[in-house]
Amino acid sequence: MEMVLDVYKRPFDNRYPVICMDESPKQLIAEKKVPIPASPGRPARHDYEYRRCGVCNIFMSCEPLSGKRMVTVTERKTKRDWACFIETIADQYTAAEKITLVMDNLNTHVPGSLYEMFLPEKAKALWDRFEFVYTPKHGSWLNMAEIELNVITGQCLNRRIDDIEIVRKETRAWQEARNNKNAKVNWQFTTKDARIKLSRLYPTFES
């Protein structure tokens, strides 16, 4: 935990950007009956019945200090999908000497996934571009990308959508709008706070 918090204290540096990455499923749902649109004095109405149309996966990366984020929607959340998203992040930061990537310890979020997707030379080159920093078990709330996933859900995806292409179109529009606002994350939780508020997680020593 303290390693993640130390990373968040680093000043902005184009050569060594700090990126947070997370992913979340989005269930594709279709209406069974045509919704009744809103009218004066009456809200829009949707029938409680719906039809499941599968699930897609939303990859989110954000650079909290610059106000940039990037969203990719995939059909699955395999090791290969993650590896391709890592390549996309690397392509966005070609001038960086080292990219620090904060993420949870999901079993697909490992360097070995790069070797399953790319030739060894390319996998190693990508691996060398990154410094992987993992949030602790049960501590994924330390990942600032979760904040961005909550925002995109509330502002863009908190409704029934039945087509992955619509999800992709909506998330691209959201990404552009939020990046244009240069929305940043003002992280307040520090190591000092952790040692007080989460003291139960630290060992105790008798004098």
Side-chain angles (χ1 to χ4, degrees):
M1 175 176 62
E2 292 192 3
M3 180 184 297
V4 176
L5 296 175
D6 283 346
V7 166
Y8 288 166
K9 289 192 301 184
R10 296 178 187 175
F12 176 76
D13 189 336
N14 278 324
R15 298 171 303 161
Y16 301 96
V18 174
I19 313 298
C20 298
M21 175 259 144
D22 202 0
E23 57 188 283
S24 177
K26 165 63 178 174
Q27 190 171 50
L28 301 175
I29 293 176
E31 302 279 3
K32 276 197 170 184
K33 297 182 179 179
V34 178
I36 300 175
S39 59
R42 303 195 71 174
R45 285 173 286 177
H46 297 258
D47 192 80
Y48 71 93
E49 287 190 283
Y50 58 87
R51 178 168 51 85
R52 299 178 189 273
C53 301
V55 178
C56 62
N57 187 64
I58 300 172
F59 283 106
M60 171 73 72
S61 71
C62 67
E63 186 181 1
L65 294 180
S66 71
K68 297 178 182 177
R69 72 272 306 140
M70 182 172 57
V71 187
T72 297
V73 180
T74 61
E75 295 180 0
R76 295 167 299 276
K77 51 179 293 183
T78 65
K79 291 181 178 181
R80 288 173 170 261
D81 292 308
W82 178 80
C84 288
F85 189 60
I86 293 301
E87 180 186 29
T88 302
I89 294 175
D91 289 343
Q92 293 293 315
Y93 293 90
T94 54
E97 295 183 24
K98 198 80 166 184
I99 303 168
T100 299
L101 188 66
V102 178
M103 57 187 171
D104 62 27
N105 49 20
L106 194 66
N107 63 350
T108 57
H109 298 171
V110 292
S113 298
L114 301 175
Y115 286 85
E116 291 194 20
M117 182 62 194
F118 305 112
L119 293 174
E121 295 79 10
K122 183 171 182 178
K124 182 62 166 59
L126 274 173
W127 185 351
D128 290 342
R129 294 288 316 281
F130 288 88
E131 172 196 9
F132 294 125
V133 177
Y134 293 97
T135 58
K137 189 177 181 180
H138 307 303
S140 61
W141 55 271
L142 286 164
N143 189 345
M144 282 192 260
E146 280 203 356
I147 296 173
E148 293 293 331
L149 283 172
N150 287 332
V151 174
I152 195 173
T153 297
Q155 294 182 346
C156 180
L157 301 176
N158 192 21
R159 66 188 196 278
R160 294 177 180 177
I161 303 176
D162 62 355
D163 188 343
I164 188 173
E165 292 305 323
I166 296 177
V167 176
R168 285 175 174 145
K169 179 181 177 182
E170 295 282 335
T171 54
R172 282 195 298 267
W174 176 88
Q175 172 187 302
E176 182 178 354
R178 191 155 170 82
N179 283 343
N180 287 339
K181 289 181 180 179
N182 198 30
K184 301 176 182 179
V185 177
N186 183 16
W187 186 262
Q188 298 289 324
F189 194 70
T190 65
T191 299
K192 182 178 179 181
D193 296 326
R195 292 175 180 175
I196 296 172
K197 297 181 180 180
L198 302 176
S199 59
R200 69 187 184 282
L201 301 179
Y202 289 83
T204 57
F205 300 92
E206 295 183 2
S207 58

